[in-house]
Amino acid sequence: MELKEKLVSSFLAFENKVEVDIDSTVHDIRSKAFSDFESKGFPTKKDEEWKYTSLNAILKHDYNVFPKSEETLAYKDVKKYFVNETDCYNLVFIDGKFSSFLSETTHDGLDICVMSSALTKPKYKMVIDAYFNKLAGEKNSLSDLNTAFSHEGAYINIPKNKVVPKPIQIINFSTGNEQEILIQPRNLVIVGENAHVQIIERHQSLTSNTTLTNSVTEVFVNKRGIVDVYKMQNDVETASLIDSTFVSQQRDSVGSVHTFSFGGKLTRNNLEFYQNGEHCVSHMNGISILNGKQHVDNHTLVEHKAPNCESHEMYKGIYDGNSTGVFNGKVIVEQAAQKINAYQQNNNVVVSDKASVNSKPQLEIFADDVKCSHGCTIGQLDESALFYMQQRGIPKKEAKALLMYAFSNDALKDVKIPELKTKINEIIAKKLDVKIGFDL
Amino acid sequence: MSKYTEDDLKKELETQEYEYGFYTDIESETFPIGLNEDVIRAISKKKNEPEWMTEWRLDAFRIWEQMEEPEWANVRYEKPDFQAISYYSAPKKADPNKTLDDVDPELLEMYKKLGISVDEQKKLQGVAVDIVVDSVSVATTFKKTLAEKGIIFMPISEAIQEHPELVKKYMGTVVPKTDNFYAALNSAVFTDGSFCYIPKGVKCPMELSTYFRINEGGTGQFERTLLIADESSYVSYLEGCTAPARDENQLHAAVVELIALDDAEIKYSTVQNWFPGDKEGSGGVYNFVTKRGICETNAKISWTQVETGSAVTWKYPSCILKGNNSVGEFYSIAVTNNYQQADTGTKMIHIGKNTKSTIISKGISAGKSQNSYRGLVQINSRAANARNFSQCDSLLMGDQCGAHTFPYIEAKNSTAQVEHEATTSKIGEDQLFYCNQRGIDTEKAIALIVNGFSKDVLNKLPMEFAVEAQKLLEISLEGSVG
Amino acid sequence: MLKIENLQARIEDKEILKGLNIEVKAGEVHAIMGPNGAGKSTMASVIAGKEEYEVTGGSIELNGEDISELAPEERAHAGVFLSFQYPVEIPGVTVTNFIKSSINESRKAQGLEELPAKDLLKKIREKSELLEIDRKFLSRSLNEGFSGGEKKRNEIFQMAMLEPKLAILDETDSGLDIDALRIVANGVNKLKSKDNAVIVITHYQRLLDYIVPDFVHVLHDGKIVKSGTKELALELEEKGYDWIKEELNA
């Protein structure tokens, strides 16, 4: 494969180019990851996990792996992509490079900064040794590829008992300066004992030049820690995203990841939760609203390794145009994990004749004292409800939109940042091409 | 305290012997082990088959040689050595033309042990039986009664001779030789099985039944069933399976093809009780079966299965809903205990408009067993107004076993309505205490709860089979409960 | 009939019954009242033999025989019936099938033949009329999707079918509207005889208007701290439980 060959030759150049690591640890991890990627290659539809998603179309581009120039952007031009009425810490990357101008970092009692420093500065060495690639290692060939080229991204380390006072916003812009670009952000989030943090993540292309983002985020939640991650995906139709997020939880912690997929050509979300201690709670919510030729594949995994834990999963999908949607959810309950409650819901509405949905909700249970359930539905909007609303004077389009709102609302109710919720509502309204004068 | 605990039950389950694990000493004629084109020619010759059949087999063999044994199922086992199996074993005294009176008394004794009575009793119950021991059919009852209605019910080996046009027209149309590894193998080496044809407009007046048994050691059983329900006809077909307890694993790779033409209905019920292996997990039957039916316009196929046996099961009775308004149903109970492994489920392929399918699957795992449901619901783009409802429930007993659910749902039509629900739970302590308080001991309480759990499926079986199935369920899980 | 002496029981490490004494004679109705957490439901569960509770001292005698070592079903066979506060659902098992198993298991334990289907059906008809139970109800799965009232009525229906010597009604009035309460109480009253006994566990006096007790006991902190007649119940309803606590502390 051409892209693969290009990556092979780029890897050596990359290794030479990045700042010299303090010792060989990170170098070894990258080399190992690269050889893993080389032997596995890009996944194909023959892989069970890629049965419904083909990468062929997006791999045939001649991606530039190293963007040439550092681009600056004026805040006023990109303001609309920020959650800006709420005060936030911002980590902004332009074509894969950190933009200090648009960012607000801190080292005041907590670290909100960039991976490139964390990977090279001695003071972070202990943390990097303890956490870096501990979750993403040997998971899939795309995370291996990211690890091999890991260099830049967000580094967030919240110490014990710290409640981060405002959300952290991570935004990756691609400017279109390159004809075709491959960006590989690498994020590391460590939530200390009893600490609490909210993170918003977004990838945005500013032109219609082809962008492929292969992002990896590792999240470690220590005892009693709480983390909420919101992933906003509303990119242009020439941008594709492969996101792999791994969350490891210690006892009494709560981890939530919300994935909102509204735009982009191909979006693949790999989301994996590992519960390592008792009384962990994990939430996975997702809303996909697609049209055109969009494709979204939500792949989730929850591994219950300890007793008395819970997981709640709810994914809603609305598919219009020629869009295709995939939901693949797997819940594994290991033998030691007794008294587990695991719930998985996937509800889909197919609006157009050309759209399609594939759903694969799986349970693998090795413990006996468990309560697990999954449900999956594929259907249409309720015709009688539509008629009822029309009879009361609501035009069909608005009535439909209203029903879709109602349908997806379950997965929206846990969004704890009001401004973000409003923004999502606006995007949904725009997507459905209606004006709705109220919040849900 | 004389309390019957789950541990006691587990102990009892372990010591529960396989009731049908006897070996009947019948003189058999068995081929030497091994598989090659000569063996296939020999099988074909033994059966006096016409040239086209021999070629068909050879073609399948060549396809099979190119294929690899599948590994995607959620089962672990030592791959059979296909060159260490004898592909033909026939009780020597068997003669397809003889009547029941001529049947080897030892065989009849065996049937009695199996609990199947090939006698007047069955006539009263209106069941016609074809019995396949090891590789050949030994007796088909009530041929005459059926012939009066124009119904053909005979061993497939005879059908190849007597009704070649029907066999030629339909065999391999639902499960092609190329379908999968085991189906290709079966197509090459099948030695017998049942053939059934219900003419236009005929409602088969009695249940048709086939009983399969592997008797000889070191043999594989590869039976082939072909059932054709012509327009507006109806048939209910029962299939039962047993094998004696042996140390080595026996291979069973059957193919069943159902063809339901316009407005026809086929009800196909299976009670599978192949030897599951002993409590250490040694021995037992590898049951790798391909079952599939095709429905033309307004036709209906209903699969019901109660699976309690086999060491390893790999089986997905499926429906291709080709005709408009056709209906597919799958009702299944799969019980696994000790070291048994089952990967079973169904495929519902919706092609025609207004097609409907229902899947009810109940898995019960005990001991150290692994029980998986694997199912596909596919709504094709032309299948307007297709409907599917699936319910997959798992019940766990003990903390050494596993229950897994792998549903695949693919919808390519905006008018599709698909609903899938699955639950996994255990028998609750509070349920047991409630039953105890009403004077029902724990063992009986478990039987009651398991029966309640399985009821939706048991209800779908023909009456007399339901009783047998219920008994089997209790035997596989409880032992003395009656 | 029932004689409990110095009964002590705990769940895990928590002592709940701390020396309970009570004697119930045939033909009597006893009411057990008390504040939340006094140990009322524990007492019922311990008499019925629930495993989670460990009996650490004392004795439970039924008709002169110690039953404290018996399994729950053996106690049931001996004539103990507990009407559950929260009856359990058993999917797929109909009310009729459940009753049938229940009756025949008890008969088996007593060395009797199974009850012929004809007699069973007759009895079911009789008793379901007594409790104003719709026949369709009998073919539904046990307690599955039943309303609170239906569950409780079903408990008393089973009691009617099993004809126990000692019936313990644990908060049978909770969740019942006034009509359902009347039906249930009426059923209990009709089943009462000089040969059996009833223990009514309740929070409120209301049920006792219908099922009139011969004795009323107040359970507090794992012990019976006060006993009296029907009037005691009225007094409790009026004044609450605090005055008893004060009396105890005085």
Side-chain angles (χ1 to χ4, degrees):
Chain A
M1 182 172 287
E2 284 173 30
L3 180 59
K4 194 178 164 190
E5 282 155 23
K6 184 167 186 176
L7 288 164
V8 172
S9 58
S10 306
F11 182 65
L12 290 171
F14 169 78
E15 276 276 81
N16 290 330
K17 205 172 147 199
V18 291
E19 288 175 59
V20 182
D21 303 323
I22 27 162
D23 64 13
S24 62
T25 324
V26 176
H27 167 82
D28 290 348
I29 290 172
R30 285 193 188 117
S31 304
K32 163 84 169 60
F34 193 76
S35 72
D36 286 350
F37 167 74
E38 233 188 319
S39 65
K40 283 184 260 181
F42 286 107
T44 67
K45 285 184 98 166
K46 281 186 186 152
D47 289 289
E48 181 65 22
E49 299 303 321
W50 290 83
K51 190 176 160 67
Y52 299 117
T53 298
S54 168
L55 290 175
N56 287 345
I58 64 163
L59 293 180
K60 64 176 188 226
H61 294 279
D62 184 27
Y63 292 107
N64 191 336
V65 185
F66 309 116
K68 288 176 208 86
S69 60
E70 190 161 328
E71 190 66 22
T72 53
L73 294 170
Y75 179 65
K76 65 172 175 45
D77 296 336
V78 293
K79 186 174 173 230
K80 63 174 177 179
Y81 302 115
F82 288 78
V83 167
N84 42 34
E85 280 156 35
T86 312
D87 192 16
C88 291
Y89 292 109
N90 289 316
L91 291 168
V92 179
F93 302 89
I94 301 170
D95 292 337
K97 297 209 163 151
F98 180 61
S99 163
S100 56
F101 175 68
L102 289 172
S103 300
E104 182 197 337
T105 60
T106 183
H107 293 287
D108 186 14
L110 71 165
D111 288 317
I112 299 173
C113 61
V114 293
M115 272 301 270
S116 51
S117 321
L119 287 172
T120 48
K121 289 189 179 157
K123 67 169 175 172
Y124 299 109
K125 183 175 160 37
M126 268 176 63
V127 180
I128 291 297
D129 284 353
Y131 293 105
F132 180 68
N133 208 40
K134 289 290 185 287
L135 273 176
E138 291 171 20
K139 285 286 178 346
N140 62 63
S141 68
L142 288 152
S143 336
D144 289 337
L145 179 64
N146 176 290
T147 304
F149 288 90
S150 57
H151 170 57
E152 194 54 286
Y155 172 81
I156 297 168
N157 189 355
I158 316 296
K160 192 173 165 178
N161 296 331
K162 177 81 188 173
V163 175
V164 185
K166 51 190 186 181
I168 302 167
Q169 195 163 205
I170 306 167
I171 305 186
N172 288 281
F173 288 111
S174 84
T175 57
N177 233 23
E178 308 290 337
Q179 204 45 250
E180 298 175 320
I181 188 171
L182 169 65
I183 308 172
Q184 305 205 64
R186 175 64 172 235
N187 307 314
L188 177 60
V189 178
I190 299 151
V191 184
E193 189 180 322
N194 202 28
H196 183 185
V197 62
Q198 295 178 311
I199 297 168
I200 302 165
E201 189 191 333
R202 181 166 192 155
H203 303 271
Q204 190 64 50
S205 301
L206 301 174
T207 68
S208 58
N209 282 352
T210 306
T211 307
L212 170 59
T213 305
N214 176 34
S215 171
V216 169
T217 305
E218 294 177 287
V219 182
F220 296 86
V221 195
N222 287 300
K223 201 164 87 182
R224 295 188 59 184
I226 303 173
V227 62
D228 294 308
V229 179
Y230 302 95
K231 292 175 180 284
M232 267 297 286
Q233 297 162 354
N234 189 29
D235 215 337
V236 299
E237 278 191 24
T238 48
S240 294
L241 169 67
I242 297 159
D243 180 88
S244 299
T245 298
F246 306 95
V247 184
S248 163
Q249 290 184 250
Q250 299 304 325
R251 61 170 306 148
D252 300 303
S253 64
V254 183
S256 310
V257 175
H258 309 258
T259 309
F260 305 104
S261 308
F262 304 128
K265 177 188 170 74
L266 180 150
T267 307
R268 162 78 174 216
N269 291 304
N270 295 315
L271 177 58
E272 304 189 357
F273 272 86
Y274 298 89
Q275 295 185 335
N276 300 305
E278 284 192 55
H279 303 288
C280 287
V281 181
S282 309
H283 294 276
M284 280 150 278
N285 292 324
I287 301 177
S288 304
I289 301 179
L290 306 186
N291 50 18
K293 289 189 169 162
Q294 296 179 330
H295 176 90
V296 168
D297 181 345
N298 281 310
H299 243 73
T300 68
L301 167 75
V302 189
E303 222 179 290
H304 290 279
K305 299 181 183 180
N308 296 307
C309 293
E310 288 173 37
S311 65
H312 302 266
E313 188 166 3
M314 180 176 298
Y315 276 80
K316 303 271 184 178
I318 297 172
Y319 305 97
D320 204 345
N322 290 301
S323 67
T324 45
V326 181
F327 173 77
N328 184 114
K330 190 188 257 188
V331 174
I332 299 177
V333 181
E334 293 189 359
Q335 201 188 321
Q338 299 288 346
K339 300 214 184 295
I340 295 294
N341 287 328
Y343 304 99
Q344 196 184 58
Q345 258 306 321
N346 172 231
N347 305 107
N348 303 290
V349 172
V350 184
V351 183
S352 122
D353 273 340
K354 302 233 165 80
S356 68
V357 182
N358 297 309
S359 180
K360 218 180 123 193
Q362 308 168 66
L363 298 172
E364 287 197 58
I365 318 280
F366 295 93
D368 72 329
D369 195 359
V370 295
K371 248 196 175 141
C372 298
S373 69
H374 68 221
C376 164
T377 59
I378 298 173
Q380 299 78 42
L381 296 175
D382 183 348
E383 289 292 332
S384 54
L386 271 183
F387 178 69
Y388 184 87
M389 285 196 269
Q390 283 175 280
Q391 207 287 318
R392 296 299 139 93
I394 303 167
K396 189 165 185 183
K397 198 168 88 180
E398 275 68 21
K400 266 183 153 175
L402 214 61
L403 286 178
M404 290 183 204
Y405 260 121
F407 169 80
S408 50
N409 194 38
D410 283 349
L412 203 61
K413 65 181 194 300
D414 290 337
V415 175
K416 292 180 200 104
I417 304 169
E419 195 198 340
L420 183 67
K421 201 169 185 168
T422 310
K423 257 197 143 61
I424 293 168
N425 271 323
E426 282 168 14
I427 294 172
I428 295 179
K430 206 173 160 197
K431 188 94 190 174
L432 300 174
D433 194 22
V434 287
K435 280 202 173 71
I436 290 186
F438 57 89
D439 283 345
L440 283 157
Chain B
M1 234 187 210
S2 65
K3 197 188 149 276
Y4 186 86
T5 65
E6 227 174 304
D7 288 337
D8 296 333
L9 173 71
K10 259 188 251 161
K11 219 166 270 161
E12 197 171 313
L13 289 177
E14 277 167 16
T15 49
Q16 182 63 34
E17 291 298 331
Y18 178 68
E19 206 184 339
Y20 300 116
F22 55 86
Y23 167 75
T24 307
D25 193 12
I26 306 170
E27 240 188 298
S28 320
E29 182 185 16
T30 305
F31 270 27
I33 59 166
L35 185 58
N36 53 45
E37 295 200 2
D38 291 340
V39 169
I40 287 160
R41 283 201 183 86
I43 294 171
S44 195
K45 194 167 169 225
K46 197 92 207 161
K47 307 236 118 197
N48 284 322
E49 284 175 355
E51 181 63 23
W52 63 268
M53 195 65 235
T54 316
E55 284 310 314
W56 199 83
R57 287 174 181 277
L58 287 169
D59 185 36
F61 176 71
R62 286 162 202 148
I63 292 166
W64 177 74
E65 277 190 307
Q66 303 302 314
M67 292 175 115
E68 274 177 41
E69 200 170 350
E71 291 189 348
W72 46 262
N74 191 24
V75 291
R76 315 263 167 281
Y77 60 96
E78 204 177 308
K79 297 251 159 72
D81 178 354
F82 293 96
Q83 296 303 338
I85 294 170
S86 167
Y87 287 85
Y88 186 82
S89 167
K92 236 181 195 164
K93 290 175 195 166
D95 171 356
N97 298 316
K98 72 190 169 187
T99 68
L100 262 183
D101 301 335
D102 305 326
V103 170
D104 191 330
E106 261 189 84
L107 264 178
L108 286 179
E109 187 56 33
M110 182 168 92
Y111 301 144
K112 240 174 235 155
K113 280 194 223 171
L114 291 172
I116 49 162
S117 43
V118 198
D119 52 20
E120 283 305 300
Q121 221 186 325
K122 285 277 171 176
K123 195 175 193 175
L124 293 174
Q125 291 164 347
V127 178
V129 189
D130 183 14
I131 295 156
V132 178
V133 170
D134 285 347
S135 304
V136 295
S137 274
V138 292
T140 305
T141 56
F142 301 109
K143 221 163 161 181
K144 227 175 120 193
T145 327
L146 294 168
E148 283 163 14
K149 292 240 170 202
I151 295 168
I152 307 167
F153 181 46
M154 55 172 58
I156 200 154
S157 52
E158 281 177 50
I160 291 167
Q161 315 280 348
E162 292 177 30
H163 303 283
E165 71 299 338
L166 282 173
V167 177
K168 238 179 179 171
K169 183 171 176 192
Y170 290 108
M171 192 158 71
T173 56
V174 190
V175 180
K177 287 173 277 193
T178 49
D179 192 78
N180 68 69
F181 184 80
Y182 306 115
L185 178 64
N186 175 288
S187 303
V189 304
F190 76 91
T191 35
D192 222 328
S194 297
F195 175 84
C196 176
Y197 173 79
I198 316 290
K200 263 184 207 175
V202 172
K203 308 268 174 249
C204 184
M206 55 179 78
E207 312 266 357
L208 299 184
S209 171
T210 303
Y211 227 96
F212 295 108
R213 178 175 167 86
I214 303 176
N215 204 45
E216 198 68 11
T219 58
Q221 176 146 324
F222 306 92
E223 83 271 353
R224 182 117 196 162
T225 300
L226 180 58
L227 203 162
I228 303 143
D230 211 328
E231 290 171 23
S232 303
S233 66
Y234 168 84
V235 64
S236 171
Y237 190 94
L238 319 172
E239 175 193 74
C241 321
T242 52
R246 287 182 186 287
D247 289 342
E248 79 267 31
N249 294 105
Q250 287 159 292
L251 178 65
H252 173 250
V255 169
V256 175
E257 293 178 282
L258 308 186
I259 292 129
L261 298 176
D262 292 0
D263 302 300
E265 180 177 348
I266 301 174
K267 212 171 139 70
Y268 196 102
S269 313
T270 305
V271 172
Q272 185 264 106
N273 187 28
W274 297 116
F275 178 52
D278 64 15
K279 63 175 178 165
E280 308 300 335
S282 82
V285 171
Y286 289 164
N287 191 31
F288 303 141
V289 175
T290 308
K291 289 184 167 181
R292 196 175 302 152
I294 188 162
C295 287
E296 298 292 346
T297 305
N298 298 326
K300 177 176 175 184
I301 289 179
S302 181
W303 297 98
T304 306
Q305 58 172 26
V306 176
E307 302 272 316
T308 62
S310 298
V312 180
T313 301
W314 181 101
K315 179 182 173 186
Y316 316 93
S318 305
C319 296
I320 300 170
L321 303 173
K322 181 175 161 231
N324 293 346
N325 312 315
S326 58
V327 177
E329 294 175 340
F330 174 76
Y331 302 102
S332 167
I333 302 170
V335 181
T336 54
N337 197 358
N338 295 325
Y339 285 87
Q340 279 178 275
Q341 303 178 66
D343 194 300
T344 182
T346 183
K347 289 185 198 173
M348 292 291 173
I349 313 291
H350 292 254
I351 299 169
K353 294 190 175 71
N354 306 315
T355 45
K356 254 197 244 171
S357 63
T358 305
I359 299 171
I360 309 278
S361 163
K362 305 277 178 176
I364 302 164
S365 342
K368 295 188 165 78
S369 67
Q370 299 295 330
N371 201 330
S372 303
Y373 168 80
R374 187 181 303 275
L376 169 68
V377 174
Q378 193 179 68
I379 315 281
N380 285 290
S381 56
R382 288 185 300 116
N385 297 313
R387 300 279 177 273
N388 163 267
F389 175 77
S390 306
Q391 172 84 47
C392 306
D393 297 323
S394 306
L395 194 66
L396 290 149
M397 300 170 73
D399 57 3
Q400 307 277 308
C401 54
H404 316 288
T405 319
F406 304 102
Y408 294 69
I409 300 147
E410 304 177 1
K412 291 196 169 61
N413 188 294
S414 68
T415 56
Q417 275 190 21
V418 180
E419 244 180 281
H420 171 96
E421 285 170 27
T423 63
T424 304
S425 56
K426 71 174 283 191
I427 294 179
E429 294 294 329
D430 48 350
Q431 284 177 320
L432 291 179
F433 179 64
Y434 187 86
C435 293
N436 290 160
Q437 208 294 313
R438 296 296 138 91
I440 301 167
D441 65 28
T442 301
E443 187 183 10
K444 180 92 186 172
I446 289 173
L448 204 65
I449 293 166
V450 167
N451 259 317
F453 175 79
S454 318
K455 196 174 158 192
D456 294 347
V457 177
L458 287 174
N459 282 348
K460 298 291 171 187
L461 286 169
M463 194 53 164
E464 58 165 321
F465 238 37
V467 175
E468 190 183 334
Q470 198 165 336
K471 199 175 147 221
L472 211 54
L473 217 65
E474 285 168 359
I475 287 167
S476 3
L477 285 168
E478 268 98 35
S480 61
V481 179
Chain C
M1 169 84 54
L2 178 75
K3 194 174 176 191
I4 294 179
E5 277 181 343
N6 192 30
L7 185 65
Q8 295 154 52
R10 66 178 180 194
I11 184 161
E12 283 163 10
D13 288 335
K14 201 176 163 209
E15 299 282 342
I16 299 183
L17 299 184
K18 302 170 180 173
L20 185 129
N21 293 292
I22 190 171
E23 187 170 1
V24 179
K25 294 201 175 70
E28 290 177 351
V29 175
H30 288 239
I32 308 280
M33 301 182 78
N36 283 326
K40 301 192 296 292
S41 283
T42 301
M43 172 184 155
S45 298
V46 170
I47 298 173
K50 196 166 186 178
E51 294 295 314
E52 285 105 291
Y53 296 97
E54 190 191 342
V55 175
T56 50
S59 66
I60 309 169
E61 278 180 19
L62 188 72
N63 292 327
E65 268 181 61
D66 189 353
I67 59 165
S68 61
E69 291 291 310
L70 296 182
E73 63 270 25
E74 290 169 327
R75 299 185 201 207
H77 299 159
V80 176
F81 179 92
L82 169 62
S83 167
F84 285 67
Q85 188 180 356
Y86 304 107
V88 174
E89 298 179 359
I90 303 183
V93 178
T94 62
V95 174
T96 306
N97 276 339
F98 184 76
I99 292 268
K100 185 175 153 221
S101 307
S102 180
I103 286 186
N104 285 332
E105 287 296 310
S106 294
R107 290 178 69 94
K108 203 163 81 188
Q110 284 146 23
L112 296 171
E113 291 286 304
E114 288 199 353
L115 193 65
K118 190 168 62 86
D119 297 354
L120 182 74
L121 287 175
K122 188 166 161 266
K123 193 166 179 178
I124 287 178
R125 201 169 309 133
E126 239 174 70
K127 305 295 184 187
S128 58
E129 273 163 22
L130 173 70
L131 286 148
E132 301 176 32
I133 284 174
D134 190 331
R135 300 284 276 292
K136 277 183 221 143
F137 177 88
L138 299 169
S139 50
R140 284 169 63 188
S141 284
L142 187 70
N143 290 325
E144 198 181 34
F146 285 19
S147 70
E150 283 173 332
K151 282 185 184 172
K152 294 298 167 74
R153 223 188 291 176
N154 180 31
E155 291 292 282
I156 303 306
F157 169 61
Q158 290 182 39
M159 171 180 158
M161 291 297 294
L162 291 167
E163 299 171 336
K165 293 199 178 74
L166 172 71
I168 306 165
L169 312 183
D170 187 6
E171 306 260 354
T172 297
D173 51 338
S174 68
L176 291 188
D177 64 30
I178 199 76
D179 288 334
L181 186 74
R182 186 186 48 75
I183 294 166
V184 164
N186 189 27
V188 174
N189 286 332
K190 286 207 178 125
L191 297 169
K192 226 167 57 181
S193 77
K194 63 178 177 25
D195 300 319
N196 59 25
V198 181
I199 298 177
V200 182
I201 295 175
T202 180
H203 232 71
Y204 306 102
Q205 189 268 337
R206 199 180 56 160
L207 178 64
L208 305 181
D209 283 344
Y210 296 92
I211 305 172
V212 182
D214 300 301
F215 299 97
V216 174
H217 309 275
V218 179
L219 191 64
H220 173 67
D221 194 23
K223 272 185 253 177
I224 284 175
V225 292
K226 198 172 179 72
S227 297
T229 54
K230 192 183 178 310
E231 283 65 39
L232 178 59
L234 290 168
E235 203 177 348
L236 288 168
E237 182 90 348
E238 206 174 302
K239 299 203 250 171
Y241 292 100
D242 289 347
W243 63 277
I244 291 185
K245 289 180 198 167
E246 278 161 26
E247 217 177 74
L248 283 172
N249 293 333

